[in-house]
Amino acid sequence: MTPRCLTALALILTATATTATAQEYLSYGPRPAYLVGQMTDGPLKDQLTQCLGQTPSRSDFSIGHRGAPLMLPEHTVESNVAAAQMGAGILECDVTFTADLELVCRHAQNDLHTTTNIVATDLGEKCTVPFTAASGDTPASAECRTSDLTLEEFRSLSAKMDASDNTATTTEGYLGGTASFRTDLYTHSATSMTHAESIELFRGLGAKFTPELKSPSVEMPFNGFTQADYAQKMIDEYKAAGIPASDVWAQSFDLQDVLYWIENEPEFGAQAVYLDDRYELEEGDGGLLDPMDAATFQPSMQELADMGVQYIAPPLWLLVTLDADGEMVPSVYADEATAAGLNIITWTLERSGPLNTGGGWYFQSVAEATDNDGVTYELLDVLAQDVGVVGVFSDWPATTTFYANCMGL
């Protein structure tokens, strides 16, 4: 067993051993209070202020998005331990596979060049596209896939914050580029995981599971490994670990994966989550940007429900819009999903950095009302109370846990 494998195992065993007392270690840290302090005065701010002294408790409403990657390298043991300590009741492993068909936690099959140190190691030569230095107007580039490596080779890599510097002329320089609102303080010795190891870790932390089957970057079948094999292998690892289907929300952007689980693994399919990436905007009444009429989506919300889909997960902005008074309200999309009886989960809070200039991609439908960090809780309140979402992914789960605890979610 390699040293990195032993490290991962030791950390997982430690987390398992402390499960019984995990509740004692929950902490919001300073960020929720900071965000409340930034809010515009009003009833919501008053209510949240009264909760600042509450004792944290775990909530399934709070979902760790790749762990807690606002500050710690995503999909590592350390990132998920931090998320659990912030009260995230559900933790995520994005699932992809190696050259020897082992399942590992990685946001994309082809992200090793930005999430690990691979380009600065001898394994960089095995990348689908090895590192090329920036030259003139041509940026630095690389593409390194988990499917380029065996599991043993994958384990030898060091995880880092998801970033790269496309102006770099050296491999060491390319490893930089971390966003200014994030940090590299916790990157050293961060421990990557296999999917099976994530199951043991999350169980040891007292959390539930939301694995996402990532779209392959390679053509399928891959060495005889079909898409159905891939979807089944992910579920089989929960069954092998004795995890009840009621504790697992399997996700995919590919509707066919969701339908596969509904048909072939109905207990797991009952909570399978269709990650909706049908993003479009059109001009709504009064010239405000409004999410496209969900009834025109194919398949429609009702058609999804008729197929057996019970959970849908669009991005934050697709669920909200601004009314004529500039107030956040549920979008047509949200209303259509609710009318079809779909449970709604959304993503991703705390991924935008400072919100003083509109919030970027995740806040695009409410950008005109987004001018300070306190808007985080204004948006979350509309999502929870008016849209009725059942869970929110966050890059810093303390923010969502605090709100859920305060509101009794």
Side-chain angles (χ1 to χ4, degrees):
M1 188 174 291
T2 66
R4 285 193 177 276
C5 183
L6 288 170
T7 300
L9 181 61
L11 287 169
I12 290 167
L13 291 174
T14 298
T16 302
T18 59
T19 300
T21 56
Q23 194 72 19
E24 300 175 18
Y25 300 118
L26 296 187
S27 171
Y28 296 132
R31 186 156 178 80
Y34 164 78
L35 294 175
V36 172
Q38 295 297 305
M39 293 177 67
T40 301
D41 291 343
L44 178 60
K45 181 176 182 178
D46 291 343
Q47 184 175 4
L48 293 176
T49 298
Q50 292 174 6
C51 292
L52 290 176
Q54 69 189 0
T55 299
S57 60
R58 197 172 308 284
S59 172
D60 289 352
F61 184 82
S62 178
I63 306 172
H65 180 242
R66 318 182 204 176
L70 181 64
M71 296 291 174
L72 292 92
E74 63 187 47
H75 289 311
T76 60
V77 172
E78 293 80 5
S79 187
N80 281 286
V81 169
Q85 290 172 338
M86 296 180 208
I90 302 174
L91 297 174
E92 179 186 43
C93 168
D94 290 331
V95 178
T96 187
F97 56 86
T98 60
D100 46 354
L101 306 182
E102 296 295 334
L103 302 186
V104 295
C105 297
R106 192 65 23 206
H107 179 62
Q109 190 169 55
N110 63 338
D111 74 1
L112 294 182
H113 51 288
T114 64
T115 62
T116 75
N117 67 333
I118 188 170
V119 299
T121 74
D122 292 340
L123 291 173
E125 294 303 315
K126 299 190 68 172
C127 291
T128 297
V129 180
F131 171 76
T132 301
S135 178
D137 294 332
T138 303
S141 63
E143 183 185 356
C144 305
R145 302 173 178 176
T146 57
S147 53
D148 293 332
L149 308 177
T150 65
L151 177 58
E152 183 177 2
E153 290 169 333
F154 170 79
R155 287 191 185 281
S156 73
L157 301 176
S158 295
K160 70 179 192 69
M161 296 298 282
D162 184 8
S164 61
D165 182 352
N166 64 10
T167 68
T169 58
T170 66
T171 55
E172 290 76 11
Y174 187 74
L175 301 180
T178 301
S180 60
F181 61 87
R182 298 180 186 271
T183 182
D184 290 315
L185 282 174
Y186 306 105
T187 58
H188 302 291
S189 301
T191 312
S192 299
M193 299 179 290
T194 66
H195 175 238
E197 287 169 347
S198 80
I199 294 173
E200 292 307 313
L201 176 67
F202 299 174
R203 173 162 53 188
L205 292 168
K208 298 175 184 177
F209 314 84
T210 186
E212 180 188 337
L213 196 74
K214 302 302 297 188
S215 298
S217 298
V218 295
E219 185 176 349
M220 300 290 277
F222 177 76
N223 294 340
F225 192 54
T226 68
Q227 186 68 24
D229 293 336
Y230 180 29
Q232 186 63 52
K233 185 177 178 71
M234 188 181 85
I235 298 301
D236 285 345
E237 293 197 347
Y238 288 95
K239 295 167 72 173
I243 303 297
S246 58
D247 285 351
V248 181
W249 287 262
Q251 316 167 67
S252 180
F253 278 104
D254 187 340
L255 180 58
Q256 295 309 309
D257 293 334
V258 176
L259 296 179
Y260 174 87
W261 293 321
I262 290 171
E263 180 179 354
N264 295 281
E265 290 286 352
E267 290 186 342
F268 288 88
Q271 291 190 162
V273 182
Y274 175 43
L275 295 162
D276 197 351
D277 61 355
R278 298 173 292 178
Y279 318 139
E280 295 199 32
L281 287 172
E282 64 179 12
E283 291 294 326
D285 293 339
L288 297 174
L289 286 176
D290 187 44
M292 180 180 177
D293 185 344
T296 69
F297 280 27
Q298 296 299 322
S300 70
M301 299 297 175
Q302 188 57 56
E303 287 170 333
L304 287 171
D306 292 343
M307 293 175 188
V309 176
Q310 296 189 45
Y311 286 82
I312 192 167
L316 302 170
W317 64 266
L318 204 54
L319 294 170
V320 292
T321 188
L322 298 177
D323 65 15
D325 297 321
E327 299 294 326
M328 293 185 198
V329 294
S331 67
V332 173
Y333 179 106
D335 292 340
E336 293 280 351
T338 300
L342 296 173
N343 297 293
I344 306 171
I345 297 171
T346 191
W347 44 276
T348 301
L349 207 66
E350 295 284 39
R351 194 160 181 80
S352 304
L355 302 183
N356 57 303
T357 57
W361 193 83
Y362 288 96
F363 287 76
Q364 60 186 284
S365 64
V366 293
E368 293 181 10
T370 303
D371 58 4
N372 69 83
D373 289 344
V375 174
T376 299
Y377 278 131
E378 295 173 19
L379 173 61
L380 190 55
D381 190 60
V382 172
L383 290 169
Q385 307 301 330
D386 300 331
V387 175
V389 301
V390 297
V392 178
F393 282 92
S394 177
D395 276 14
W396 200 246
T399 298
T400 306
T401 304
F402 168 78
Y403 176 86
N405 291 169
C406 186
M407 299 298 177
L409 302 179

